[in-house]
Amino acid sequence: MSDALDRLDLLDLDDDLDDEDRLLRDTVRKFADDRLRPHIRQWFEDGELPARDLAREFGELGVLGMHLSGYGCQGAKPSQYGLVCAEIEAVDSGLRSLVSVQGSLAMYAIHAFGSEEQKQHWLPRMATGEAVGCFGLTEPDSGSDPGSMRTRARRDGTDWVLSGTKMWITNGSIADVAVVWARTDDGVRGFLVEKGTPGYSAQDVHHKLSLRASVTSELILDDVRLPESAMLPAARGLRGPLSCLTEARFGIVWGVTGSARDALASALEYAGTRSQFGKPIAGFQLTQKKLADLAVCLQQMQLTARRLGELKDSGRIAPHHVSFGKFANVRGALDICREARSILGGSGITTEYPVLRHAVNLETVYTYEGTHEVHTLVLGQQLTGLDAFR
Ligand SMILES: Cc1cc2nc3c(=O)[nH]c(=O)nc-3n(C[C@H](O)[C@H](O)[C@H](O)COP(=O)(O)OP(=O)(O)OC[C@H]3O[C@@H](n4cnc5c(N)ncnc54)[C@H](O)[C@@H]3O)c2cc1C
């Protein structure tokens, strides 16, 4: 596969990695190839993931919340976190989701908006993977429009009492702590709900055709009583959860370059070994056109990810930059996986090859963290100055 990866780097982007970035990239790629890749087919087919074990191993690798600083986190550059996301998603988007939700949604929310006590209590254990977090924003009747959320937190003395339902929550049933967003008389606020709190439960979503190697749950909050200290003091209004989503989308922009690269490398290798009409199918002009189109698309995605990395490393990134990246790169990754699948012919529809698995996973990635349509509207608003959301 490494030969195919080299051939796909038509613009020699790899040459630009410095020694530190290359070491990080290669370390995570080796972990992914040795520890994750041999099992992913089984995990996906069974819809079962040893998520708690993997969280600890990702913690040992140092990738959980790696772009945060202090509290046991690495303080790595955002672009380095991006490189890691690409290597993990080259195995499966579900595995990258485990890492993203832990680091960019749950840990980031506590890091950015938590009290000193909350940070000290949760972040070091989450960085090692000893504790797992999830992020509950979406509800059964509130997806693209989180302002319509129904989950409510009401005051009772100095306590808060939460009631409502959160839907499609990654890591939900395995999480030790859920970051739950709820409506209060004072606008939307965030709360840390610990596993085992009376009235709080999580049930897994089954029968998924996408992101099967990922835990997806419904969270039920039935008059969950929390002390004042469970509220994230610095998050006020929807800007809190939306800023967490911008963090996580940055990882997606990079991550999908990994799934697309893996699908295309698989198709390139297959095309060189599969013969029809007396020669390798790679020798047919129609196959070469597909490979050329897809390789150019992949490198453009990688350039977009790098540009976003530069912007974030230098503190200049804005939400519309991230929307550009998610819009362009997830669409590009889906296009690559679908066309790459055709190069594998019938073999492409099995799990023996990763291509269709990546494609169906990317259907989720197209929808979560802001749907493709929502990011279209963000770009439309940036271009025209007009809000077309409602
Ligand atoms: C596997 C998986 C894991 C997830 N993990 C998490 C998680 O950890 N935490 C969490 O909080 N959420 C999570 N989500 C939820 C995800 O973010 C939502 O599914 C997403 O925001 C879309 O919401 P929805 O599914 O309710 O679709 P809807 O919002 O109902 O959208 C349906 C369709 O209508 C379109 N649409 C909506 N509004 C407009 C508009 N104004 N203009 C044009 N088109 C519009 C959408 O783009 C989409 O095509 C996850 C989802 C999945 C599938």
Side-chain angles (χ1 to χ4, degrees):
M1 190 68 98
S2 76
D3 177 44
L5 295 189
D6 288 345
R7 279 185 281 150
L8 286 174
D9 189 17
L10 294 167
L11 292 174
D12 298 332
L13 293 183
D14 243 31
D15 293 354
D16 290 349
L17 290 180
D18 64 24
D19 290 348
E20 192 185 332
D21 289 356
R22 188 179 306 280
L23 178 64
L24 174 69
R25 196 273 312 267
D26 291 348
T27 304
V28 178
R29 184 175 289 180
K30 183 164 172 19
F31 173 83
D33 286 343
D34 294 351
R35 170 65 182 116
L36 306 176
R37 202 177 281 283
H39 304 287
I40 188 58
R41 191 176 161 191
Q42 198 67 49
W43 293 336
F44 183 90
E45 284 179 7
D46 295 349
E48 298 276 348
L49 190 69
R52 297 286 317 206
D53 294 342
L54 289 175
R56 268 187 287 272
E57 291 177 55
F58 282 128
E60 272 171 38
L61 195 62
V63 301
L64 300 178
M66 63 182 279
H67 56 305
L68 305 175
S69 46
Y71 309 97
C73 304
Q74 307 278 325
K77 286 189 295 190
S79 57
Q80 293 179 320
Y81 169 58
L83 286 171
V84 167
C85 287
E87 294 311 318
I88 296 172
E89 191 149 355
V91 181
D92 195 89
S93 304
L95 301 173
R96 197 267 307 140
S97 298
L98 167 61
V99 172
S100 289
V101 168
Q102 175 85 345
S104 291
L105 288 179
M107 290 176 73
Y108 176 80
I110 297 170
H111 195 273
F113 304 118
S115 65
E116 189 55 34
E117 192 190 347
Q118 290 167 337
K119 292 182 205 184
Q120 300 276 4
H121 182 70
W122 286 110
L123 293 176
R125 297 161 61 205
M126 292 172 84
T128 60
E130 183 199 330
V132 171
C134 69
F135 183 89
L137 179 64
T138 306
E139 301 183 356
D141 295 321
S142 167
S144 300
D145 179 17
S148 66
M149 75 171 65
R150 292 186 187 165
T151 298
R152 203 164 169 83
R154 65 180 164 80
R155 276 282 195 193
D156 187 24
T158 56
D159 289 348
W160 289 97
V161 179
L162 269 64
S163 42
T165 306
K166 296 291 176 182
M167 190 61 191
W168 304 115
I169 307 307
T170 302
N171 298 348
S173 65
I174 60 160
D176 301 283
V177 60
V179 177
V180 171
W181 301 94
R183 176 180 299 288
T184 71
D185 289 342
D186 193 22
V188 170
R189 304 296 303 256
F191 297 86
L192 300 184
V193 182
E194 273 195 60
K195 193 173 199 159
T197 307
Y200 171 65
S201 58
Q203 283 173 1
D204 284 342
V205 176
H206 296 291
H207 310 296
K208 289 182 297 176
L209 293 172
S210 172
L211 231 64
R212 290 181 56 76
S214 174
V215 175
T216 312
S217 316
E218 179 181 18
L219 308 184
I220 297 145
L221 300 135
D222 184 9
D223 282 342
V224 175
R225 181 172 290 274
L226 300 173
E228 170 74 33
S229 59
M231 177 187 264
L232 293 173
R236 288 183 177 273
L238 271 180
R239 267 189 324 129
L242 294 183
S243 69
C244 302
L245 293 175
T246 301
E247 269 312 288
R249 288 165 185 156
F250 173 82
I252 291 175
V253 172
W254 284 80
V256 296
T257 67
S259 44
R261 185 192 76 200
D262 191 59
L264 183 51
S266 180
L268 180 59
E269 279 204 335
Y270 185 88
T273 55
R274 172 74 176 172
S275 285
Q276 287 294 288
F277 299 99
K279 67 174 186 183
I281 60 169
F284 296 119
Q285 289 184 355
L286 291 178
T287 309
Q288 291 193 2
K289 172 163 174 22
K290 289 180 188 176
L291 292 170
D293 282 343
L294 302 187
V296 167
C297 179
L298 176 64
Q299 296 258 275
Q300 287 172 334
M301 288 165 53
Q302 290 166 330
L303 285 169
T304 296
R306 285 200 176 187
R307 174 64 182 151
L308 263 72
E310 284 167 11
L311 288 168
K312 196 161 167 60
D313 286 354
S314 59
R316 290 176 295 147
I317 202 159
H320 74 272
H321 295 136
V322 182
S323 285
F324 179 115
K326 186 177 187 266
F327 174 93
N329 280 13
V330 182
R331 181 177 66 182
L334 261 171
D335 288 348
I336 287 174
C337 291
R338 287 172 181 151
E339 191 78 297
R341 206 288 307 156
S342 78
I343 294 175
L344 280 91
S347 300
I349 71 151
T350 69
T351 56
E352 189 180 347
Y353 295 91
V355 185
L356 195 59
R357 175 169 52 77
H358 285 311
V360 295
N361 282 339
L362 287 165
E363 292 294 340
T364 287
V365 183
Y366 195 73
T367 286
Y368 74 9
E369 308 278 351
T371 66
H372 188 72
E373 293 77 9
V374 163
H375 291 291
T376 311
L377 297 179
V378 173
L379 294 178
Q381 186 176 25
Q382 185 68 23
L383 290 166
T384 66
L386 300 172
D387 172 349
F389 286 89
R390 39 188 99 241

